[in-house]
Amino acid sequence: MAKPHHWDHLHAAQTAPVNAAYTTTMTLTDKPIPRAAGWHILGAGAMGCLWACAMARQDERQAMGSPQVSLLLRDQEALAGYPGQVICSDMEHPLSIPAVAIAGADDQTPLQIHNLLVTTKAQDTLTAVASVANHLSTTSRIVLLQNGLKIQQQLTRLYGAERVFCVSTSHGAWLKAPFDVVHAGNGDAWLGQLDATGTCSRARLQSLRQLLPAEQLNVHIDHDIGARLWRKLAINCAINALTVIHDCRNGELLQIPEARQSLSRLCDEICKVLQAIPEAPPMGDLWTQVQHVLHVTAANVSSTLQDIRRGRHSEIDHLNGYLCELASAQHMPCPVNRAVLQQMRVLESRAIQAHSPTGSERPRQSSPHRSTDRQ
Ligand SMILES: NC(=O)c1ccc[n+]([C@@H]2O[C@H](COP(=O)([O-])OP(=O)(O)OC[C@H]3O[C@@H](n4cnc5c(N)ncnc54)[C@H](OP(=O)(O)O)[C@@H]3O)[C@@H](O)[C@H]2O)c1
């Protein structure tokens, strides 16, 4: 296959003249966003490829000419390996999507990012966003799609509540091969802002939703995305690490007596910690919610277990790790979560070593598993 990648694609994606508003000191407002502003996707893994294809397909349908979405790849090596197209199981044909390497972009290209969708894992997100910070303006929007909540809070503080958006999704996707994504579970996506207040935020969310493939990926606006992310965090803290410790699918946690006991103790402790956090919503009966999720996703392999089986770093520091940090900040003990976190760290480092002779190399992606945490 030809490799029509490199800078030309970036320029193709940016042929629309940059709106003067973006070059001034205008702050983010509720003004309509020009369609031509386009998207850059940072993190061309399963979710990044899924969203890129949905965006490119939307552009095709709206006869936008060249795609208004580009992938931001880590470096020139990653760019050299990019075939110029992304395959998605939902679409009959591969979609040509421009790509650009971040490293080295500063000097060689006038890369200007108006709308950034970040689809890296939580633990990679700060570094990834920092690597494109020079290409963001004061009006650029940053949309975060990570599991957890810590990164969303950090970036909202760093870039301002008006510019940072969060997406929580129940879509499931995995990579058959690089840039070849399987949309394994059709779900929904909820778009919101932390600290969202008043009509300004409502208008901002509405106009941003219009730029997203809202129909294709069932994107809804959630004016209380914080509550949704807290609940998902609580459920993931209860389930994910235990699936690694017991090396099992979600549903099996209810059948293994020891796992079931740990689940119930974790739920108790998570509720107690979150009760002490003023921003966290009431959790209600977490144990019942967790059992429901485990029934609905019984056959799923949690994302944390998938990471461990592939010898990759998991998002555990942004799940139980974050919960332990929250407990420490409240001077609360949280022995059950701490024990789980410690076990996870041991299992994670063993898995990484087992997949790499040096124990430090970052294995490249591709997952044989179908399922994800689709709560
Ligand atoms: N997949 C799902 O079904 C699903 C469902 C719900 C939520 N989520 C959440 O969505 C997020 C992304 O998940 P995913 O499954 O799409 O992960 P993934 O397949 O591992 O993709 C992450 C991508 O980010 C890239 N990346 C990391 N650091 C980078 C950097 N500095 N610059 C450029 N690219 C960088 C990785 O490249 P390398 O491979 O080179 O490291 C990888 O391609 C996670 O927080 C996950 O919890 C996923």
Side-chain angles (χ1 to χ4, degrees):
M1 193 185 299
K3 290 192 175 181
H5 52 72
H6 224 291
W7 308 113
D8 289 345
H9 289 279
L10 173 71
H11 296 306
Q14 297 189 329
T15 44
V18 174
N19 188 308
Y22 287 114
T23 59
T24 70
T25 53
M26 186 187 89
T27 53
L28 263 186
T29 68
D30 49 345
K31 291 195 173 74
I33 305 167
R35 182 66 186 89
W39 284 94
H40 285 88
I41 296 189
L42 181 57
M47 275 291 139
C49 287
L50 177 71
W51 283 74
C53 285
M55 286 173 179
R57 171 52 72 85
Q58 174 165 282
D59 291 340
E60 267 183 8
R61 289 203 175 128
Q62 294 176 349
M64 295 297 292
S66 56
Q68 303 293 301
V69 52
S70 306
L71 299 175
L72 293 172
L73 303 182
R74 193 188 281 282
D75 50 28
Q76 292 295 332
E77 190 192 338
L79 185 63
Y82 177 55
Q85 297 183 318
V86 179
I87 300 171
C88 176
S89 60
D90 284 347
M91 327 245 165
E92 313 83 56
H93 59 86
L95 294 162
S96 294
I97 297 175
V100 63
I102 302 159
D106 301 40
D107 305 328
Q108 298 174 43
T109 181
L111 172 59
Q112 199 172 5
I113 298 173
H114 301 303
N115 298 300
L116 180 69
L117 174 64
V118 189
T119 51
T120 49
K121 294 276 194 179
Q123 67 274 14
D124 296 325
T125 300
L126 276 186
T127 309
V129 173
S131 73
V132 298
N134 286 347
H135 305 289
L136 298 169
S137 73
T138 52
T139 59
S140 308
R141 289 156 181 85
I142 303 170
V143 181
L144 302 169
L145 193 140
Q146 284 60 42
N147 249 349
L149 182 56
K150 184 177 171 181
I151 207 70
Q152 290 85 339
Q153 293 172 329
Q154 282 177 325
L155 285 170
T156 297
R157 275 196 297 272
L158 202 59
Y159 286 92
E162 294 189 336
R163 303 173 62 183
V164 177
F165 297 78
C166 308
V167 169
S168 173
T169 182
S170 59
H171 285 283
W174 58 277
L175 282 184
K176 207 158 45 158
F179 312 108
D180 184 351
V181 63
V182 177
H183 190 186
N186 194 30
D188 294 87
W190 293 270
L191 172 72
Q193 288 193 291
L194 297 181
D195 303 329
T197 44
T199 48
C200 267
S201 169
R202 282 171 196 272
R204 274 197 303 268
L205 287 168
Q206 282 296 353
S207 57
L208 190 67
R209 182 178 174 273
Q210 285 168 19
L211 289 189
L212 289 165
E215 302 282 299
Q216 218 164 322
L217 293 180
N218 306 320
V219 181
H220 318 282
I221 288 176
D222 184 345
H223 295 293
D224 196 4
I225 194 83
R228 186 180 292 278
L229 292 172
W230 277 108
R231 292 205 177 90
K232 189 167 175 181
L233 173 73
I235 291 171
N236 284 341
C237 284
I239 295 175
N240 287 30
L242 284 185
T243 63
V244 175
I245 291 166
H246 294 279
D247 191 22
C248 68
R249 289 177 186 266
N250 287 2
E252 292 170 77
L253 286 181
L254 291 172
Q255 280 135 33
I256 304 168
E258 199 194 325
R260 204 182 156 93
Q261 201 183 17
S262 305
L263 258 182
S264 150
R265 293 174 63 218
L266 267 173
C267 285
D268 259 11
E269 193 176 276
I270 292 163
C271 279
K272 279 192 192 122
V273 172
L274 294 188
Q275 262 165 23
I277 312 288
E279 314 87 86
M283 280 300 132
D285 183 352
L286 183 60
W287 173 228
T288 303
Q289 294 168 54
V290 164
Q291 287 181 85
H292 172 72
V293 168
L294 290 175
H295 282 301
V296 175
T297 65
N300 287 17
V301 175
S302 78
S303 60
T304 310
L305 181 53
Q306 286 184 44
D307 287 332
I308 297 304
R309 286 182 175 171
R310 292 154 66 197
R312 293 173 71 97
H313 286 281
S314 74
E315 296 182 302
I316 196 68
D317 286 341
H318 291 261
L319 299 178
N320 304 73
Y322 184 45
L323 200 95
C324 291
E325 285 173 31
L326 291 169
S328 293
Q330 301 293 328
H331 308 290
M332 289 177 75
C334 85
V336 188
N337 275 277
R338 252 178 234 296
V340 158
L341 184 61
Q342 252 167 21
Q343 272 179 284
M344 263 300 299
R345 293 224 165 102
V346 172
L347 294 169
E348 186 176 87
S349 88
R350 263 191 221 151
I352 291 169
Q353 275 172 8
H355 280 74
S356 158
T358 63
S360 60
E361 197 182 315
R362 302 179 71 260
R364 294 273 159 176
Q365 60 202 6
S366 148
S367 164
H369 297 295
R370 291 180 62 79
S371 57
T372 53
D373 324 304
R374 301 186 50 230
Q375 297 114 41

